[in-house]
Amino acid sequence: MKPALKILFEDNHLIVIDKPVLLPTMGVAEGDESLVTRVKDYLRSRYNKPGNIYLGVVSRLDSHVSGVIVLARTSKAASRLAEQFRRRTSGKTYLAIVSDHCDFADSGRLEHRIIKNESQHRMMALPKAAAESSLEKQAVLVYRTVGQIPGQRLLEIQLETGRKHQIRVQLAACGCPIVGDRKYDSPLPFAAGIALHSYRLEIEHPTLKLPLAFQAIPPACWKIARFGYDGT
């Protein structure tokens, strides 16, 4: 039996989920499961709605990443939420575990240019400089160390831009790949997926215009208590 969806908030306009690790947000082959197919099945059953269910994806989490994600239940909500993400008026906070065996300050701001490496099927971070190609996208994040144990440190990360694999590729470019992230050359294993979690999401309700904030603790396999982190 599938575990129940962890629903953090739900109304007629949006639904906020604590996405489990190893579940793609969308874009799977027909017949395969994704977060979108699971939420549609839930809504269809809960509200006894046969046929197609509208669900707008306004931001994504990689399959290997867990945590807070919002989906729109109407096209109007999807448009307004997408505009918030585009204008960066929403707030996203992530947690990541990285190796402590690297030359990495306790806090800072990382700026790179990101471009897709077609031959390796992954993103690549280039040093901050004038873009040499229209395919290059600016990537900026701010981080701080919020916990440390021998060999590993826990980072709290806030995005200033939203690029594919941004946190993963920027940390790897600094010599600190996320634990478990084999795609970006981490030598360390992780219990499930990679040690990256969407911890907090702040948005404005698309119709009520009220500020909303949602938070989800990392999965049990993180054993986050050992870092002494309490979310403040």
Side-chain angles (χ1 to χ4, degrees), residues 9-17 25 35-36 39-40 43 53-59 69-82 85 201 203 205-206:
F9 179 85
E10 176 186 355
D11 68 6
N12 292 333
H13 306 279
L14 53 88
I15 183 167
V16 182
I17 306 292
T25 301
L35 181 67
V36 166
V39 173
K40 283 185 176 182
L43 294 172
I53 298 288
Y54 177 86
L55 205 60
V57 178
V58 294
S59 68
I69 184 171
V70 59
L71 300 168
R73 293 191 57 194
T74 68
S75 59
K76 178 185 289 188
S79 175
R80 292 179 177 178
L81 288 169
F85 288 118
L201 176 65
I203 58 174
H205 192 281

PDB file of all heavy atoms in Angstrom, residues 9-17 25 35-36 39-40 43 53-59 69-82 85 201 203 205-206:
ATOM      1  N   PHE A   9      -1.256  21.904   3.053  1.00  0.00           N
ATOM      2  CA  PHE A   9      -2.313  22.910   2.893  1.00  0.00           C
ATOM      3  C   PHE A   9      -3.113  22.549   1.654  1.00  0.00           C
ATOM      4  O   PHE A   9      -2.573  22.037   0.670  1.00  0.00           O
ATOM      5  CB  PHE A   9      -1.703  24.305   2.722  1.00  0.00           C
ATOM      6  CG  PHE A   9      -2.733  25.395   2.527  1.00  0.00           C
ATOM      7  CD1 PHE A   9      -3.337  26.004   3.609  1.00  0.00           C
ATOM      8  CD2 PHE A   9      -3.078  25.817   1.246  1.00  0.00           C
ATOM      9  CE1 PHE A   9      -4.282  27.008   3.429  1.00  0.00           C
ATOM     10  CE2 PHE A   9      -4.025  26.821   1.054  1.00  0.00           C
ATOM     11  CZ  PHE A   9      -4.630  27.419   2.155  1.00  0.00           C
ATOM     12  N   GLU A  10      -4.407  22.851   1.707  1.00  0.00           N
ATOM     13  CA  GLU A  10      -5.264  22.564   0.551  1.00  0.00           C
ATOM     14  C   GLU A  10      -6.470  23.480   0.580  1.00  0.00           C
ATOM     15  O   GLU A  10      -7.106  23.656   1.624  1.00  0.00           O
ATOM     16  CB  GLU A  10      -5.706  21.101   0.598  1.00  0.00           C
ATOM     17  CG  GLU A  10      -6.684  20.692  -0.480  1.00  0.00           C
ATOM     18  CD  GLU A  10      -7.187  19.267  -0.297  1.00  0.00           C
ATOM     19  OE1 GLU A  10      -6.698  18.563   0.615  1.00  0.00           O
ATOM     20  OE2 GLU A  10      -8.087  18.869  -1.056  1.00  0.00           O
ATOM     21  N   ASP A  11      -6.777  24.106  -0.546  1.00  0.00           N
ATOM     22  CA  ASP A  11      -8.053  24.796  -0.712  1.00  0.00           C
ATOM     23  C   ASP A  11      -8.448  24.687  -2.176  1.00  0.00           C
ATOM     24  O   ASP A  11      -7.889  23.869  -2.919  1.00  0.00           O
ATOM     25  CB  ASP A  11      -8.002  26.246  -0.200  1.00  0.00           C
ATOM     26  CG  ASP A  11      -7.114  27.164  -1.040  1.00  0.00           C
ATOM     27  OD1 ASP A  11      -6.607  26.727  -2.102  1.00  0.00           O
ATOM     28  OD2 ASP A  11      -6.914  28.330  -0.632  1.00  0.00           O
ATOM     29  N   ASN A  12      -9.413  25.478  -2.614  1.00  0.00           N
ATOM     30  CA  ASN A  12      -9.900  25.364  -3.991  1.00  0.00           C
ATOM     31  C   ASN A  12      -8.912  25.880  -5.027  1.00  0.00           C
ATOM     32  O   ASN A  12      -9.117  25.681  -6.232  1.00  0.00           O
ATOM     33  CB  ASN A  12     -11.224  26.120  -4.148  1.00  0.00           C
ATOM     34  CG  ASN A  12     -12.358  25.471  -3.387  1.00  0.00           C
ATOM     35  OD1 ASN A  12     -12.338  24.259  -3.168  1.00  0.00           O
ATOM     36  ND2 ASN A  12     -13.332  26.256  -2.966  1.00  0.00           N
ATOM     37  N   HIS A  13      -7.855  26.547  -4.581  1.00  0.00           N
ATOM     38  CA  HIS A  13      -6.932  27.199  -5.515  1.00  0.00           C
ATOM     39  C   HIS A  13      -5.564  26.533  -5.598  1.00  0.00           C
ATOM     40  O   HIS A  13      -4.908  26.592  -6.634  1.00  0.00           O
ATOM     41  CB  HIS A  13      -6.753  28.661  -5.113  1.00  0.00           C
ATOM     42  CG  HIS A  13      -8.042  29.396  -4.976  1.00  0.00           C
ATOM     43  ND1 HIS A  13      -8.723  29.900  -6.067  1.00  0.00           N
ATOM     44  CD2 HIS A  13      -8.793  29.689  -3.878  1.00  0.00           C
ATOM     45  CE1 HIS A  13      -9.843  30.490  -5.644  1.00  0.00           C
ATOM     46  NE2 HIS A  13      -9.911  30.368  -4.331  1.00  0.00           N
ATOM     47  N   LEU A  14      -5.132  25.926  -4.502  1.00  0.00           N
ATOM     48  CA  LEU A  14      -3.800  25.322  -4.506  1.00  0.00           C
ATOM     49  C   LEU A  14      -3.724  24.179  -3.508  1.00  0.00           C
ATOM     50  O   LEU A  14      -4.591  24.018  -2.642  1.00  0.00           O
ATOM     51  CB  LEU A  14      -2.730  26.377  -4.209  1.00  0.00           C
ATOM     52  CG  LEU A  14      -2.893  27.242  -2.960  1.00  0.00           C
ATOM     53  CD1 LEU A  14      -2.278  26.577  -1.747  1.00  0.00           C
ATOM     54  CD2 LEU A  14      -2.260  28.606  -3.175  1.00  0.00           C
ATOM     55  N   ILE A  15      -2.688  23.375  -3.663  1.00  0.00           N
ATOM     56  CA  ILE A  15      -2.415  22.290  -2.729  1.00  0.00           C
ATOM     57  C   ILE A  15      -0.904  22.234  -2.522  1.00  0.00           C
ATOM     58  O   ILE A  15      -0.131  22.338  -3.477  1.00  0.00           O
ATOM     59  CB  ILE A  15      -2.982  20.936  -3.233  1.00  0.00           C
ATOM     60  CG1 ILE A  15      -2.747  19.830  -2.203  1.00  0.00           C
ATOM     61  CG2 ILE A  15      -2.403  20.550  -4.589  1.00  0.00           C
ATOM     62  CD1 ILE A  15      -3.547  18.559  -2.502  1.00  0.00           C
ATOM     63  N   VAL A  16      -0.502  22.143  -1.257  1.00  0.00           N
ATOM     64  CA  VAL A  16       0.914  22.143  -0.901  1.00  0.00           C
ATOM     65  C   VAL A  16       1.261  20.777  -0.315  1.00  0.00           C
ATOM     66  O   VAL A  16       0.583  20.300   0.608  1.00  0.00           O
ATOM     67  CB  VAL A  16       1.242  23.254   0.115  1.00  0.00           C
ATOM     68  CG1 VAL A  16       2.734  23.271   0.432  1.00  0.00           C
ATOM     69  CG2 VAL A  16       0.783  24.609  -0.418  1.00  0.00           C
ATOM     70  N   ILE A  17       2.296  20.170  -0.848  1.00  0.00           N
ATOM     71  CA  ILE A  17       2.664  18.806  -0.502  1.00  0.00           C
ATOM     72  C   ILE A  17       4.082  18.757   0.050  1.00  0.00           C
ATOM     73  O   ILE A  17       4.961  19.504  -0.388  1.00  0.00           O
ATOM     74  CB  ILE A  17       2.595  17.892  -1.748  1.00  0.00           C
ATOM     75  CG1 ILE A  17       1.219  17.973  -2.426  1.00  0.00           C
ATOM     76  CG2 ILE A  17       2.941  16.440  -1.400  1.00  0.00           C
ATOM     77  CD1 ILE A  17       0.101  17.377  -1.626  1.00  0.00           C
ATOM     78  N   THR A  25       8.394  14.942  -9.907  1.00  0.00           N
ATOM     79  CA  THR A  25       7.286  15.886  -9.876  1.00  0.00           C
ATOM     80  C   THR A  25       6.326  15.609 -11.028  1.00  0.00           C
ATOM     81  O   THR A  25       5.109  15.561 -10.839  1.00  0.00           O
ATOM     82  CB  THR A  25       7.797  17.339  -9.958  1.00  0.00           C
ATOM     83  OG1 THR A  25       8.666  17.596  -8.856  1.00  0.00           O
ATOM     84  CG2 THR A  25       6.634  18.322  -9.915  1.00  0.00           C
ATOM     85  N   LEU A  35       4.433  12.806  -8.777  1.00  0.00           N
ATOM     86  CA  LEU A  35       3.673  13.568  -7.787  1.00  0.00           C
ATOM     87  C   LEU A  35       2.362  14.064  -8.391  1.00  0.00           C
ATOM     88  O   LEU A  35       1.305  14.011  -7.747  1.00  0.00           O
ATOM     89  CB  LEU A  35       4.500  14.749  -7.291  1.00  0.00           C
ATOM     90  CG  LEU A  35       3.820  15.623  -6.236  1.00  0.00           C
ATOM     91  CD1 LEU A  35       3.624  14.845  -4.939  1.00  0.00           C
ATOM     92  CD2 LEU A  35       4.606  16.898  -5.984  1.00  0.00           C
ATOM     93  N   VAL A  36       2.420  14.527  -9.628  1.00  0.00           N
ATOM     94  CA  VAL A  36       1.215  15.032 -10.287  1.00  0.00           C
ATOM     95  C   VAL A  36       0.157  13.936 -10.416  1.00  0.00           C
ATOM     96  O   VAL A  36      -1.025  14.169 -10.103  1.00  0.00           O
ATOM     97  CB  VAL A  36       1.560  15.626 -11.669  1.00  0.00           C
ATOM     98  CG1 VAL A  36       0.296  15.841 -12.500  1.00  0.00           C
ATOM     99  CG2 VAL A  36       2.307  16.939 -11.515  1.00  0.00           C
ATOM    100  N   VAL A  39      -1.303  13.223  -6.895  1.00  0.00           N
ATOM    101  CA  VAL A  39      -2.194  14.274  -6.389  1.00  0.00           C
ATOM    102  C   VAL A  39      -3.506  14.276  -7.166  1.00  0.00           C
ATOM    103  O   VAL A  39      -4.589  14.462  -6.583  1.00  0.00           O
ATOM    104  CB  VAL A  39      -1.507  15.649  -6.449  1.00  0.00           C
ATOM    105  CG1 VAL A  39      -2.483  16.758  -6.081  1.00  0.00           C
ATOM    106  CG2 VAL A  39      -0.309  15.690  -5.499  1.00  0.00           C
ATOM    107  N   LYS A  40      -3.439  14.063  -8.475  1.00  0.00           N
ATOM    108  CA  LYS A  40      -4.673  13.980  -9.256  1.00  0.00           C
ATOM    109  C   LYS A  40      -5.553  12.828  -8.775  1.00  0.00           C
ATOM    110  O   LYS A  40      -6.780  12.970  -8.660  1.00  0.00           O
ATOM    111  CB  LYS A  40      -4.347  13.817 -10.742  1.00  0.00           C
ATOM    112  CG  LYS A  40      -3.902  15.101 -11.422  1.00  0.00           C
ATOM    113  CD  LYS A  40      -3.724  14.888 -12.920  1.00  0.00           C
ATOM    114  CE  LYS A  40      -3.384  16.191 -13.617  1.00  0.00           C
ATOM    115  NZ  LYS A  40      -3.261  16.013 -15.092  1.00  0.00           N
ATOM    116  N   LEU A  43      -7.200  13.927  -5.509  1.00  0.00           N
ATOM    117  CA  LEU A  43      -8.282  14.896  -5.708  1.00  0.00           C
ATOM    118  C   LEU A  43      -9.500  14.237  -6.347  1.00  0.00           C
ATOM    119  O   LEU A  43     -10.651  14.532  -5.985  1.00  0.00           O
ATOM    120  CB  LEU A  43      -7.796  16.054  -6.573  1.00  0.00           C
ATOM    121  CG  LEU A  43      -6.716  16.952  -5.951  1.00  0.00           C
ATOM    122  CD1 LEU A  43      -6.196  17.934  -6.987  1.00  0.00           C
ATOM    123  CD2 LEU A  43      -7.261  17.690  -4.729  1.00  0.00           C
ATOM    124  N   ILE A  53      -8.435  16.000 -14.199  1.00  0.00           N
ATOM    125  CA  ILE A  53      -8.262  16.930 -13.081  1.00  0.00           C
ATOM    126  C   ILE A  53      -7.191  17.941 -13.476  1.00  0.00           C
ATOM    127  O   ILE A  53      -6.088  17.566 -13.876  1.00  0.00           O
ATOM    128  CB  ILE A  53      -7.827  16.190 -11.806  1.00  0.00           C
ATOM    129  CG1 ILE A  53      -8.885  15.197 -11.353  1.00  0.00           C
ATOM    130  CG2 ILE A  53      -7.494  17.172 -10.697  1.00  0.00           C
ATOM    131  CD1 ILE A  53     -10.131  15.811 -10.774  1.00  0.00           C
ATOM    132  N   TYR A  54      -7.514  19.229 -13.353  1.00  0.00           N
ATOM    133  CA  TYR A  54      -6.493  20.241 -13.656  1.00  0.00           C
ATOM    134  C   TYR A  54      -5.517  20.345 -12.488  1.00  0.00           C
ATOM    135  O   TYR A  54      -5.913  20.423 -11.324  1.00  0.00           O
ATOM    136  CB  TYR A  54      -7.119  21.612 -13.902  1.00  0.00           C
ATOM    137  CG  TYR A  54      -6.060  22.676 -14.152  1.00  0.00           C
ATOM    138  CD1 TYR A  54      -5.564  22.882 -15.434  1.00  0.00           C
ATOM    139  CD2 TYR A  54      -5.523  23.419 -13.100  1.00  0.00           C
ATOM    140  CE1 TYR A  54      -4.569  23.819 -15.671  1.00  0.00           C
ATOM    141  CE2 TYR A  54      -4.533  24.366 -13.332  1.00  0.00           C
ATOM    142  CZ  TYR A  54      -4.054  24.557 -14.613  1.00  0.00           C
ATOM    143  OH  TYR A  54      -3.059  25.469 -14.841  1.00  0.00           O
ATOM    144  N   LEU A  55      -4.234  20.381 -12.804  1.00  0.00           N
ATOM    145  CA  LEU A  55      -3.198  20.577 -11.799  1.00  0.00           C
ATOM    146  C   LEU A  55      -2.031  21.296 -12.470  1.00  0.00           C
ATOM    147  O   LEU A  55      -1.419  20.774 -13.401  1.00  0.00           O
ATOM    148  CB  LEU A  55      -2.745  19.236 -11.222  1.00  0.00           C
ATOM    149  CG  LEU A  55      -2.141  19.248  -9.814  1.00  0.00           C
ATOM    150  CD1 LEU A  55      -3.136  19.781  -8.787  1.00  0.00           C
ATOM    151  CD2 LEU A  55      -1.695  17.848  -9.418  1.00  0.00           C
ATOM    152  N   GLY A  56      -1.751  22.515 -12.014  1.00  0.00           N
ATOM    153  CA  GLY A  56      -0.696  23.317 -12.626  1.00  0.00           C
ATOM    154  C   GLY A  56       0.609  23.206 -11.855  1.00  0.00           C
ATOM    155  O   GLY A  56       0.650  23.430 -10.646  1.00  0.00           O
ATOM    156  N   VAL A  57       1.679  22.844 -12.565  1.00  0.00           N
ATOM    157  CA  VAL A  57       3.015  22.767 -11.962  1.00  0.00           C
ATOM    158  C   VAL A  57       3.694  24.117 -12.157  1.00  0.00           C
ATOM    159  O   VAL A  57       3.980  24.517 -13.281  1.00  0.00           O
ATOM    160  CB  VAL A  57       3.847  21.641 -12.602  1.00  0.00           C
ATOM    161  CG1 VAL A  57       5.258  21.618 -11.999  1.00  0.00           C
ATOM    162  CG2 VAL A  57       3.157  20.294 -12.411  1.00  0.00           C
ATOM    163  N   VAL A  58       3.945  24.830 -11.062  1.00  0.00           N
ATOM    164  CA  VAL A  58       4.522  26.177 -11.149  1.00  0.00           C
ATOM    165  C   VAL A  58       5.991  26.191 -10.731  1.00  0.00           C
ATOM    166  O   VAL A  58       6.702  27.169 -10.963  1.00  0.00           O
ATOM    167  CB  VAL A  58       3.713  27.186 -10.308  1.00  0.00           C
ATOM    168  CG1 VAL A  58       2.329  27.355 -10.912  1.00  0.00           C
ATOM    169  CG2 VAL A  58       3.598  26.734  -8.855  1.00  0.00           C
ATOM    170  N   SER A  59       6.442  25.138 -10.084  1.00  0.00           N
ATOM    171  CA  SER A  59       7.860  24.933  -9.800  1.00  0.00           C
ATOM    172  C   SER A  59       8.049  23.439  -9.566  1.00  0.00           C
ATOM    173  O   SER A  59       7.084  22.726  -9.272  1.00  0.00           O
ATOM    174  CB  SER A  59       8.326  25.738  -8.576  1.00  0.00           C
ATOM    175  OG  SER A  59       7.738  25.236  -7.397  1.00  0.00           O
ATOM    176  N   ILE A  69       6.440  21.606  -1.846  1.00  0.00           N
ATOM    177  CA  ILE A  69       6.176  22.021  -3.221  1.00  0.00           C
ATOM    178  C   ILE A  69       4.698  22.393  -3.332  1.00  0.00           C
ATOM    179  O   ILE A  69       3.836  21.777  -2.690  1.00  0.00           O
ATOM    180  CB  ILE A  69       6.542  20.900  -4.224  1.00  0.00           C
ATOM    181  CG1 ILE A  69       6.355  21.383  -5.663  1.00  0.00           C
ATOM    182  CG2 ILE A  69       5.750  19.636  -3.960  1.00  0.00           C
ATOM    183  CD1 ILE A  69       6.900  20.407  -6.707  1.00  0.00           C
ATOM    184  N   VAL A  70       4.401  23.431  -4.126  1.00  0.00           N
ATOM    185  CA  VAL A  70       3.023  23.873  -4.306  1.00  0.00           C
ATOM    186  C   VAL A  70       2.567  23.549  -5.725  1.00  0.00           C
ATOM    187  O   VAL A  70       3.326  23.696  -6.684  1.00  0.00           O
ATOM    188  CB  VAL A  70       2.871  25.386  -4.023  1.00  0.00           C
ATOM    189  CG1 VAL A  70       3.746  26.228  -4.938  1.00  0.00           C
ATOM    190  CG2 VAL A  70       1.402  25.820  -4.129  1.00  0.00           C
ATOM    191  N   LEU A  71       1.321  23.130  -5.847  1.00  0.00           N
ATOM    192  CA  LEU A  71       0.685  22.867  -7.137  1.00  0.00           C
ATOM    193  C   LEU A  71      -0.610  23.671  -7.197  1.00  0.00           C
ATOM    194  O   LEU A  71      -1.297  23.833  -6.179  1.00  0.00           O
ATOM    195  CB  LEU A  71       0.377  21.376  -7.303  1.00  0.00           C
ATOM    196  CG  LEU A  71       1.578  20.430  -7.241  1.00  0.00           C
ATOM    197  CD1 LEU A  71       1.105  18.982  -7.130  1.00  0.00           C
ATOM    198  CD2 LEU A  71       2.472  20.587  -8.461  1.00  0.00           C
ATOM    199  N   ALA A  72      -0.937  24.174  -8.380  1.00  0.00           N
ATOM    200  CA  ALA A  72      -2.132  25.012  -8.541  1.00  0.00           C
ATOM    201  C   ALA A  72      -3.324  24.159  -8.967  1.00  0.00           C
ATOM    202  O   ALA A  72      -3.194  23.272  -9.808  1.00  0.00           O
ATOM    203  CB  ALA A  72      -1.865  26.096  -9.583  1.00  0.00           C
ATOM    204  N   ARG A  73      -4.476  24.478  -8.432  1.00  0.00           N
ATOM    205  CA  ARG A  73      -5.685  23.733  -8.767  1.00  0.00           C
ATOM    206  C   ARG A  73      -6.544  24.445  -9.811  1.00  0.00           C
ATOM    207  O   ARG A  73      -7.541  23.870 -10.268  1.00  0.00           O
ATOM    208  CB  ARG A  73      -6.504  23.457  -7.506  1.00  0.00           C
ATOM    209  CG  ARG A  73      -5.808  22.492  -6.529  1.00  0.00           C
ATOM    210  CD  ARG A  73      -6.733  22.042  -5.431  1.00  0.00           C
ATOM    211  NE  ARG A  73      -7.938  21.410  -5.978  1.00  0.00           N
ATOM    212  CZ  ARG A  73      -9.032  21.165  -5.279  1.00  0.00           C
ATOM    213  NH1 ARG A  73      -9.094  21.524  -3.997  1.00  0.00           N
ATOM    214  NH2 ARG A  73     -10.083  20.597  -5.841  1.00  0.00           N
ATOM    215  N   THR A  74      -6.185  25.680 -10.181  1.00  0.00           N
ATOM    216  CA  THR A  74      -6.883  26.404 -11.233  1.00  0.00           C
ATOM    217  C   THR A  74      -5.850  27.084 -12.126  1.00  0.00           C
ATOM    218  O   THR A  74      -4.724  27.352 -11.700  1.00  0.00           O
ATOM    219  CB  THR A  74      -7.832  27.480 -10.673  1.00  0.00           C
ATOM    220  OG1 THR A  74      -7.055  28.523 -10.069  1.00  0.00           O
ATOM    221  CG2 THR A  74      -8.805  26.892  -9.649  1.00  0.00           C
ATOM    222  N   SER A  75      -6.250  27.399 -13.344  1.00  0.00           N
ATOM    223  CA  SER A  75      -5.331  28.070 -14.262  1.00  0.00           C
ATOM    224  C   SER A  75      -4.988  29.475 -13.774  1.00  0.00           C
ATOM    225  O   SER A  75      -3.869  29.950 -13.958  1.00  0.00           O
ATOM    226  CB  SER A  75      -5.930  28.114 -15.668  1.00  0.00           C
ATOM    227  OG  SER A  75      -7.179  28.791 -15.670  1.00  0.00           O
ATOM    228  N   LYS A  76      -5.957  30.157 -13.139  1.00  0.00           N
ATOM    229  CA  LYS A  76      -5.687  31.494 -12.602  1.00  0.00           C
ATOM    230  C   LYS A  76      -4.641  31.422 -11.500  1.00  0.00           C
ATOM    231  O   LYS A  76      -3.701  32.229 -11.464  1.00  0.00           O
ATOM    232  CB  LYS A  76      -6.975  32.124 -12.058  1.00  0.00           C
ATOM    233  CG  LYS A  76      -6.747  33.504 -11.440  1.00  0.00           C
ATOM    234  CD  LYS A  76      -8.022  34.061 -10.791  1.00  0.00           C
ATOM    235  CE  LYS A  76      -9.019  34.455 -11.850  1.00  0.00           C
ATOM    236  NZ  LYS A  76     -10.195  35.171 -11.243  1.00  0.00           N
ATOM    237  N   ALA A  77      -4.786  30.453 -10.591  1.00  0.00           N
ATOM    238  CA  ALA A  77      -3.804  30.283  -9.525  1.00  0.00           C
ATOM    239  C   ALA A  77      -2.438  29.931 -10.100  1.00  0.00           C
ATOM    240  O   ALA A  77      -1.410  30.436  -9.632  1.00  0.00           O
ATOM    241  CB  ALA A  77      -4.262  29.203  -8.554  1.00  0.00           C
ATOM    242  N   ALA A  78      -2.413  29.097 -11.127  1.00  0.00           N
ATOM    243  CA  ALA A  78      -1.142  28.709 -11.748  1.00  0.00           C
ATOM    244  C   ALA A  78      -0.433  29.915 -12.331  1.00  0.00           C
ATOM    245  O   ALA A  78       0.773  30.101 -12.146  1.00  0.00           O
ATOM    246  CB  ALA A  78      -1.390  27.663 -12.831  1.00  0.00           C
ATOM    247  N   SER A  79      -1.184  30.762 -13.013  1.00  0.00           N
ATOM    248  CA  SER A  79      -0.594  31.947 -13.625  1.00  0.00           C
ATOM    249  C   SER A  79      -0.023  32.895 -12.571  1.00  0.00           C
ATOM    250  O   SER A  79       1.094  33.412 -12.715  1.00  0.00           O
ATOM    251  CB  SER A  79      -1.649  32.663 -14.469  1.00  0.00           C
ATOM    252  OG  SER A  79      -1.149  33.871 -14.992  1.00  0.00           O
ATOM    253  N   ARG A  80      -0.769  33.118 -11.502  1.00  0.00           N
ATOM    254  CA  ARG A  80      -0.334  34.058 -10.473  1.00  0.00           C
ATOM    255  C   ARG A  80       0.835  33.513  -9.653  1.00  0.00           C
ATOM    256  O   ARG A  80       1.754  34.255  -9.290  1.00  0.00           O
ATOM    257  CB  ARG A  80      -1.512  34.423  -9.574  1.00  0.00           C
ATOM    258  CG  ARG A  80      -2.560  35.252 -10.310  1.00  0.00           C
ATOM    259  CD  ARG A  80      -3.760  35.595  -9.440  1.00  0.00           C
ATOM    260  NE  ARG A  80      -4.702  36.442 -10.168  1.00  0.00           N
ATOM    261  CZ  ARG A  80      -5.860  36.857  -9.667  1.00  0.00           C
ATOM    262  NH1 ARG A  80      -6.220  36.521  -8.430  1.00  0.00           N
ATOM    263  NH2 ARG A  80      -6.659  37.615 -10.392  1.00  0.00           N
ATOM    264  N   LEU A  81       0.824  32.224  -9.381  1.00  0.00           N
ATOM    265  CA  LEU A  81       1.947  31.626  -8.656  1.00  0.00           C
ATOM    266  C   LEU A  81       3.206  31.607  -9.519  1.00  0.00           C
ATOM    267  O   LEU A  81       4.302  31.908  -9.043  1.00  0.00           O
ATOM    268  CB  LEU A  81       1.594  30.204  -8.214  1.00  0.00           C
ATOM    269  CG  LEU A  81       0.585  30.089  -7.069  1.00  0.00           C
ATOM    270  CD1 LEU A  81       0.128  28.646  -6.901  1.00  0.00           C
ATOM    271  CD2 LEU A  81       1.187  30.604  -5.760  1.00  0.00           C
ATOM    272  N   ALA A  82       3.038  31.271 -10.787  1.00  0.00           N
ATOM    273  CA  ALA A  82       4.190  31.272 -11.699  1.00  0.00           C
ATOM    274  C   ALA A  82       4.812  32.658 -11.788  1.00  0.00           C
ATOM    275  O   ALA A  82       6.042  32.793 -11.862  1.00  0.00           O
ATOM    276  CB  ALA A  82       3.759  30.781 -13.082  1.00  0.00           C
ATOM    277  N   PHE A  85       7.017  33.255  -8.759  1.00  0.00           N
ATOM    278  CA  PHE A  85       8.311  32.585  -8.888  1.00  0.00           C
ATOM    279  C   PHE A  85       9.188  33.299  -9.910  1.00  0.00           C
ATOM    280  O   PHE A  85      10.402  33.418  -9.736  1.00  0.00           O
ATOM    281  CB  PHE A  85       8.122  31.121  -9.273  1.00  0.00           C
ATOM    282  CG  PHE A  85       7.580  30.267  -8.148  1.00  0.00           C
ATOM    283  CD1 PHE A  85       6.357  29.638  -8.262  1.00  0.00           C
ATOM    284  CD2 PHE A  85       8.304  30.113  -6.968  1.00  0.00           C
ATOM    285  CE1 PHE A  85       5.858  28.857  -7.228  1.00  0.00           C
ATOM    286  CE2 PHE A  85       7.808  29.337  -5.928  1.00  0.00           C
ATOM    287  CZ  PHE A  85       6.587  28.707  -6.056  1.00  0.00           C
ATOM    288  N   LEU A 201       8.758  27.175   2.207  1.00  0.00           N
ATOM    289  CA  LEU A 201       8.251  27.901   1.045  1.00  0.00           C
ATOM    290  C   LEU A 201       7.342  29.026   1.515  1.00  0.00           C
ATOM    291  O   LEU A 201       6.437  28.808   2.321  1.00  0.00           O
ATOM    292  CB  LEU A 201       7.475  26.953   0.121  1.00  0.00           C
ATOM    293  CG  LEU A 201       6.801  27.590  -1.100  1.00  0.00           C
ATOM    294  CD1 LEU A 201       7.843  28.145  -2.059  1.00  0.00           C
ATOM    295  CD2 LEU A 201       5.895  26.593  -1.804  1.00  0.00           C
ATOM    296  N   ILE A 203       4.874  32.071  -0.010  1.00  0.00           N
ATOM    297  CA  ILE A 203       4.181  32.589  -1.182  1.00  0.00           C
ATOM    298  C   ILE A 203       3.049  33.507  -0.735  1.00  0.00           C
ATOM    299  O   ILE A 203       2.712  33.574   0.447  1.00  0.00           O
ATOM    300  CB  ILE A 203       3.584  31.448  -2.051  1.00  0.00           C
ATOM    301  CG1 ILE A 203       2.611  30.595  -1.222  1.00  0.00           C
ATOM    302  CG2 ILE A 203       4.680  30.604  -2.677  1.00  0.00           C
ATOM    303  CD1 ILE A 203       1.867  29.545  -2.018  1.00  0.00           C
ATOM    304  N   HIS A 205      -0.982  33.990  -1.305  1.00  0.00           N
ATOM    305  CA  HIS A 205      -2.131  33.244  -1.828  1.00  0.00           C
ATOM    306  C   HIS A 205      -2.593  33.901  -3.133  1.00  0.00           C
ATOM    307  O   HIS A 205      -2.748  35.127  -3.190  1.00  0.00           O
ATOM    308  CB  HIS A 205      -3.277  33.220  -0.816  1.00  0.00           C
ATOM    309  CG  HIS A 205      -4.349  32.246  -1.165  1.00  0.00           C
ATOM    310  ND1 HIS A 205      -5.310  32.515  -2.115  1.00  0.00           N
ATOM    311  CD2 HIS A 205      -4.603  30.986  -0.704  1.00  0.00           C
ATOM    312  CE1 HIS A 205      -6.122  31.478  -2.217  1.00  0.00           C
ATOM    313  NE2 HIS A 205      -5.727  30.538  -1.374  1.00  0.00           N
ATOM    314  N   PRO A 206      -2.802  33.120  -4.170  1.00  0.00           N
ATOM    315  CA  PRO A 206      -3.067  33.701  -5.493  1.00  0.00           C
ATOM    316  C   PRO A 206      -4.362  34.485  -5.613  1.00  0.00           C
ATOM    317  O   PRO A 206      -4.500  35.315  -6.513  1.00  0.00           O
ATOM    318  CB  PRO A 206      -3.083  32.472  -6.416  1.00  0.00           C
ATOM    319  CG  PRO A 206      -3.368  31.317  -5.523  1.00  0.00           C
ATOM    320  CD  PRO A 206      -2.732  31.653  -4.212  1.00  0.00           C
TER     321      PRO A 206
END
